[in-house]
Structures are given as C-alpha cells and as structure tokens.
Amino acid sequence: MDGEAAVYNEGMTGPHFIREIVTADLAAGRNDRRVATRFPPEPNGYLHIGHAKAICLNFGVARDFSGTCNLRFDDTNPAKEEVEYVDAIQADVRWLGFEWGDRLFYASDYFERLYGCAVQLIGDGKAYVDSLTADDIREYRGTLREPGKESPHRSRSIDENLDLFARMRAGEFPDGAHVLRAKIDMASPNITMRDPILYRVRRIHHHRTGDAWCIYPMYDYAHPLSDAFERVTHSLCTLEFEDHRPLYDWLIANVGDLPGHPKQTEFARLNLTYTVMSKRKLLQLVSGGHVAGWDDPRLPTISGMRRRGFTPEAIRRFCDQIGVARRENIIDVGLLEFLVREDLNTRAPRAMAVLRPLKVVIENYPAGQDETFEVANHPKDPAMGTRHVPFGRELYVEHDDFMEAPEKKFFRLSPGREVRLRGAYLITCREVIKNPSGEVVELRCTYDPETRGGDAPDGRKVKATLHWVSAAHALEAEVRLYDRLFTDETPGAGDADFLSQINPQALKVLSGCKLEPSLSDAAPGAQFQFERMGYFCADPESGTERPVFNRTVTLRDGWAKR
Ligand code: ATP
Ligand code: MG
C-alpha cells in the first residue's frame, strides 16, 4: 500500500478500537510484527456502502500499519454465487481506490486443503459424519434454554468416519444424506458450538471448480482456515459473527500445522437511514424489477452510487467520519449526501441547464444575431478555466422562475419585473403568452443592451439572477432526478414490508431539458453543478445519441424540511 497514502488519506484513518488493538499487537511483538487483513466478500451480489466501510477499514489498517490486505472471495456456496458478481466486486473495490496487487484469493482454491484439514480433524477424533436428517439435526440442536442432544452417529469410529467422508466426496450419497460435523459440545451455552456442520453434500456446479466437488465446506469452517492459510493476522468482521468466534478459535486451535494464527475482531456494521443494505433485499429489489438493475442510482450499491455521480473520495471520507465502533447504530444518510455535495462543490465545473423550460423571446434583440459570453467554470477555482456560452434572441429559462402573480417573497420573473440572466444581460418581462388551456407557454421580454455581463451602468439592482440556455444552441437531454428510495427512515422495521415503503418519487424522468451546448462534450460519468439546480453527472450507461444526466444530489438538504 506504499504510495497510496501519499495520494489520499481518507478511509478509516481516525483512531478507533481496532487500530488500538493492532497497535498493541505490534508493540507486544505478536505475529512477527506483521499486519495482514483481508476483505472477504461472498460473490452473491454487488457491493454496497456497508461493504465500503469494511473495505476502507481492512485496506486502511493495512495501509496505515505498512501491512497487506487480501481480496478473498468467500465462494463456498455455489447456489447463490456468480462470475458476474466476482467481476463487479473487483471493479468496485478498485474504483473505491484500493489495490490488492497479487493478493487475490478464492476460498474455492483451498477446497483440497480444506478437505485435508477435515480428514485431519476426523483422524484426531474431532469430527464425525452424521446421518440424521436436516430436521432431526435442528431438533437435536436444542434451544437457547435447553441443551442439545447427541446424535446417535456421534460415536462412529474414526475409520468409519474416514470411510464415509471419502465416499461423500466420491459422490456415493445423495444430497442431504450425510454431513460432517465438528465434535465439540452439544451442551454448550453457545449454540454455534453444538457440533457445527463443517461439510454437506450438494450437487451444484461451482463457477470456478465446476463439477469437481459434490461436497462443500460451510462458511464457518472455510473462513477461519482460509484466514490461517493466508497468514491473516487480524480478521475483522461484523458483530453478527461474535457468537461464531469460539468456533473460529476452536478451528484455529484444533487443526494442526496451520501457517498462521489469525484473531477475529468484530465491529458494528453500517446501517443507514432510508436505506436497505442486505444483499438479500437488494436482490429482491433488482430481480423484482423495483429498480433498473444493480447499478440503479437509487441503490446504495457502489455501482449505483458511481452511476449516480458519487465520488470515491466522498465515500471514503464518509467511512472515515462514521468511524468504527463496537455498538450497532444507524447513520443519517444525510451525512453521506452532505459529503458528496461538499466534495462535488470543489470538484464539479458549473454549467447551465434548464430542466423545465419556458421559452423567452427578447423582442428588442435582433433576429438572427447571436453572441457568446465567457463564463468561469468554477466561481472559486480559476484553474478550472472558462467556457463560451452562446446567447440569442430566443432563450429558455426555468418554468419555476416565473410567476404571473408573484407571491410576496417571489423575486424572480413576473410581468413588468427586471431580473438578471447569469453573466449576460438584465431583461424585463413585458408580456405573457398562454395556450388555449391557459398555461403560460412563452414570455416576451426586452433586454437592456447597456447591461452586458449582467450589471447596469447606472447601478440599479435586481433581486434575482436566473440561469438560461439559448434556444438555437441548446442540447436537448433527458434528466433523471433521483431521490431516496424509501419513504421510511428504517425501511422494513418491525413488521413492515420494505417493498411497500418504496418512494414513488425516487425517480422522476424529465425529457426535453435544455442544456448549454458545452455539455455535449461531457464524458460519461463527468460531474457538473447545474447552476441553482444541483449536482448532476452524465449517465455513463446511456449512449451519446440521447444524452442523459443523473441528478447526484440537490444543492441543499431538502429532505429535512419535509
Ligand atoms: P449482507 O449482510 O449485506 O448480505 P454480507 O455480510 O453477507 O452482506 P459479505 O459478502 O459476506 O456480505 O461481506 C463481506 C464483508 O463485508 C464481511 O466482512 C462483512 O462483515 C462486511 N460487511 C457486510 N455488510 C456490512 C455493513 N453493513 N457494514 C460493515 N461491513 C459489512
Ligand atoms: Mg456474509
């Protein structure tokens, strides 16, 4: 990770209890003073903002302690896993700004080795083949209050177990006929320790190992051993694995000759308001057609946030600010939006775009004439340069910037009123033209040629400055206004069905928007502040023949007021 730190410094840099643990381990000379972490996604869905927290934590700790961080696919459950996810996960981790170099691993690469460890456990009398049905195994496991019952197969001889396990692998038994279990303690107060299942028979094609295996290791078995094979020192995972830690330690202690002795430490998972994060629910949203795919900009997936125009810097900053704690909490999604806004404020060039156009004809501007204004791309950053914006007799302004009978505090265009067109001229509204149904369709205005650049030589003031686009030069585009996907702060809480809490306003598609022509050069994904309207990015997925811009965030947090 050398060199990375020079480029940026966000991504879990603040003090937190995990850094304290690592610092203490280094001071005590543990693990030969090595720090090795890993990010272990299961390729059964796309990464989300919660994973970003785990990525920043694992890669961040490695970077800050001159250690290493592996990317390991925990691909032990072929029923739900796909190559598409493997590829997307790598792209997302890279986009977030982290590199694993040559440390890309797959739990499936260890299948033979994991099998060997299981044989070793059987040989040591620490694992046995059980032939109870799945229902019986559940029944025998007991409850939180009652101890479990030992399976009648628990006392099988080592030789019989070795023989049965080899035949499980060889495909002699149907799915579910036998499982391999650790022989630990059916009376343990921790249900995880009541002879947990290590292997089961499943005839499923694996995306990497094909049909080579018909038995697959359980996550709880494969995970600690994979950590040990990779000589991980600090295995950081979310709190729901706390009860599994004794099993993690048991495996590390009872499988002999492991190259490493990792330690598991749990931290609180990220929860965000107005957001669901479990892959199961995200998959439901995608496969149920509630959103347009894993990269739908309404989703908290990394690919969705990227398409929406969030920056990796803002996401890393967010992960930094929320910190790492032991207790679960829920973070206001407004913080993420705030940081995106703050980042884009410095980064995004300005442009003018009229989303709901109202035509303006400048009656005293000669027909057929036009001119251009040189406008700064950023009000505070001259290094971002300038661009030329064309002006002509026919323009568009925002429909909302006009009121025929203005309310008390409405200072923008209305009949007889003078306003500034940003960087161009002062104009005065002279006449309102309506269609037969009474809707305002056009304004006839005049301009003051003495006010070129937007200021009157006599010093008279106007109370409003509007953005505008020349009709003759406008780029027509579709603009998609994205908002929070759920109307409820904690979707799915209690008995609520999260699907019934989807915000129908989360996507509004505006067609026929009028953009200043410079935006026709926007690279896919390029971000802009559309003056007065918010931050937008050129949708990276739609072709150039029909430009589409996505709203990333509004200029201010409008949600708090609702
Ligand atoms: P989900 O519960 O969303 O389906 P998962 O935990 O099953 O996710 P994995 O692919 O197993 O997904 O996760 C990879 C890593 O990311 C794990 O170490 C996991 O603890 C961590 N992780 C997953 N969700 C979060 C979250 N919301 N906050 C922090 N870390 C998370
Ligand atoms: Mg998981």
Side-chain angles (χ1 to χ4, degrees):
M1 301 264 73
D2 291 346
E4 289 281 331
V7 181
Y8 62 85
N9 223 358
E10 321 90 341
M12 297 293 178
T13 52
H16 54 68
F17 79 98
I18 290 179
R19 309 178 117 259
E20 285 165 18
I21 290 173
V22 176
T23 306
D25 286 345
L26 285 173
R30 290 190 195 107
N31 307 308
D32 320 318
R33 295 202 159 77
R34 275 184 320 115
V35 175
T37 59
R38 84 288 169 267
F39 172 64
E42 184 183 353
N44 62 351
Y46 279 58
L47 297 182
H48 53 61
I49 180 80
H51 293 114
K53 173 178 178 175
I55 292 167
C56 288
L57 173 62
N58 280 293
F59 281 94
V61 163
R63 175 192 64 216
D64 297 338
F65 291 94
S66 306
T68 54
C69 181
N70 299 350
L71 174 62
R72 183 205 316 141
F73 287 100
D74 256 327
D75 54 351
T76 53
N77 182 7
K80 293 182 180 167
E81 296 163 4
E82 286 175 31
V83 179
E84 177 196 347
Y85 299 139
V86 171
D87 296 340
I89 288 169
Q90 296 189 46
D92 287 348
V93 175
R94 280 216 176 90
W95 179 78
L96 265 183
F98 298 100
E99 237 338 300
W100 53 87
D102 58 359
R103 292 180 302 280
L104 174 63
F105 302 101
Y106 294 84
S108 55
D109 285 344
Y110 308 136
F111 279 172
E112 192 62 52
R113 217 164 157 190
L114 290 166
Y115 179 83
C117 293
V119 169
Q120 198 186 317
L121 284 172
I122 297 171
D124 293 340
K126 290 172 179 168
Y128 63 98
V129 172
D130 197 359
S131 315
L132 290 179
T133 64
D135 283 345
D136 281 343
I137 288 178
R138 207 171 305 119
E139 173 98 24
Y140 276 54
R141 192 169 282 135
T143 63
L144 281 175
R145 256 165 289 139
E146 282 169 46
K149 243 181 3 187
E150 293 188 355
S151 161
H153 310 291
R154 200 178 198 257
S155 51
R156 273 181 171 142
S157 71
I158 288 174
D159 284 344
E160 190 183 357
N161 282 321
L162 286 172
D163 175 60
L164 282 172
F165 190 50
R167 290 164 61 198
M168 279 168 67
R169 176 183 183 167
E172 288 189 26
F173 306 115
D175 289 14
H178 304 287
V179 292
L180 184 74
R181 301 179 71 171
K183 194 187 265 190
I184 306 180
D185 178 8
M186 287 307 291
S188 170
N190 182 343
I191 294 181
T192 306
M193 297 298 273
R194 294 183 189 167
D195 291 9
I197 295 175
L198 307 182
Y199 270 90
R200 53 207 169 133
V201 182
R202 297 207 74 176
R203 281 175 177 72
I204 314 181
H205 188 83
H206 188 284
H207 63 99
R208 299 195 80 239
T209 58
D211 298 312
W213 293 85
C214 64
I215 57 171
Y216 289 100
M218 302 299 288
Y219 176 86
D220 274 351
Y221 173 74
H223 190 77
L225 296 181
S226 302
D227 283 346
F229 298 158
E230 292 171 18
R231 299 183 72 225
V232 164
T233 56
H234 297 82
S235 180
L236 311 177
C237 66
T238 36
L239 274 176
E240 69 271 21
F241 291 103
E242 195 170 11
D243 287 348
H244 302 234
R245 185 173 0 122
L247 175 56
Y248 188 104
D249 292 341
W250 186 91
L251 285 162
I252 299 301
N254 285 282
V255 175
D257 300 328
L258 288 171
H261 292 86
K263 278 248 182 312
Q264 171 178 313
T265 304
E266 308 86 19
F267 63 94
R269 65 171 40 230
L270 169 66
N271 302 300
L272 267 186
T273 56
Y274 298 99
T275 308
V276 298
M277 239 181 270
S278 104
K279 279 187 277 192
R280 188 178 54 79
K281 288 183 177 169
L282 294 175
L283 182 62
Q284 241 177 300
L285 288 166
V286 172
S287 54
H290 302 283
V291 294
W294 283 100
D295 68 347
D296 187 296
R298 288 166 288 184
L299 290 181
T301 51
I302 294 181
S303 52
M305 293 189 292
R306 171 169 62 234
R307 188 164 174 193
R308 172 119 167 214
F310 286 22
T311 58
E313 291 83 358
I315 296 172
R316 292 199 303 258
R317 200 76 220 288
F318 172 75
C319 291
D320 204 15
Q321 292 216 351
I322 57 174
V324 189
R326 271 203 186 86
R327 220 176 25 181
E328 288 257 354
N329 60 357
I330 177 154
I331 306 283
D332 184 349
V333 72
L335 174 64
L336 177 59
E337 294 161 351
F338 169 82
L339 292 169
V340 169
R341 208 174 272 131
E342 197 181 60
D343 187 47
L344 289 175
N345 185 30
T346 56
R347 189 184 297 280
R350 275 45 175 172
M352 290 199 284
V354 174
L355 304 190
R356 296 174 178 89
L358 174 60
K359 192 167 178 187
V360 166
V361 178
I362 313 282
E363 291 184 310
N364 59 340
Y365 195 89
Q369 181 178 314
D370 58 27
E371 62 188 302
T372 60
F373 291 96
E374 189 177 357
V375 188
N377 286 332
H378 196 284
K380 297 208 177 102
D381 186 359
M384 289 176 82
T386 60
R387 68 193 188 283
H388 291 275
V389 182
F391 182 91
R393 179 180 156 89
E394 296 196 354
L395 310 167
Y396 291 106
V397 299
E398 209 66 57
H399 219 297
D400 285 354
D401 282 337
F402 173 78
M403 270 184 112
E404 193 173 14
E407 293 163 355
K408 219 167 162 210
K409 290 198 172 145
F410 187 89
F411 298 116
R412 291 165 278 161
L413 260 188
S414 58
R417 186 170 294 161
E418 186 172 54
V419 298
R420 176 183 297 109
L421 294 181
R422 163 94 76 211
Y425 292 106
L426 300 185
I427 61 163
T428 304
C429 177
R430 304 293 175 188
E431 193 189 339
V432 181
I433 296 180
K434 298 179 183 176
N435 65 12
S437 34
E439 294 155 349
V440 176
V441 290
E442 188 180 308
L443 303 178
R444 310 295 289 195
C445 298
T446 56
Y447 84 118
D448 178 353
E450 300 297 311
T451 59
R452 193 170 201 281
D455 286 309
D458 63 5
R460 72 180 189 275
K461 298 280 180 238
V462 292
K463 284 190 169 154
T465 300
L466 311 186
H467 61 279
W468 52 273
V469 168
S470 161
H473 307 88
L475 168 71
E476 194 155 310
E478 176 179 311
V479 173
R480 300 177 185 163
L481 303 180
Y482 289 102
D483 207 334
R484 296 176 183 174
L485 183 52
F486 294 98
T487 50
D488 197 273
E489 198 173 271
T490 49
D495 291 334
D497 169 18
F498 75 102
L499 293 175
S500 72
Q501 295 169 322
I502 290 180
N503 174 12
Q505 310 289 329
L507 169 60
K508 279 190 209 135
V509 178
L510 305 178
S511 54
C513 302
K514 308 290 184 180
L515 279 46
E516 65 165 75
S518 71
L519 288 166
S520 61
D521 299 331
Q527 290 129 331
F528 300 90
Q529 185 195 96
F530 288 174
E531 303 243 15
R532 304 176 60 233
M533 303 309 285
Y535 293 97
F536 293 77
C537 78
D539 186 79
E541 300 304 319
S542 41
T544 43
E545 72 284 356
R546 191 185 58 133
V548 174
F549 284 79
N550 296 324
R551 184 173 70 194
T552 310
V553 275
T554 51
L555 286 181
R556 273 170 292 279
D557 180 6
W559 198 268
K561 293 196 292 280
R562 285 177 224 189

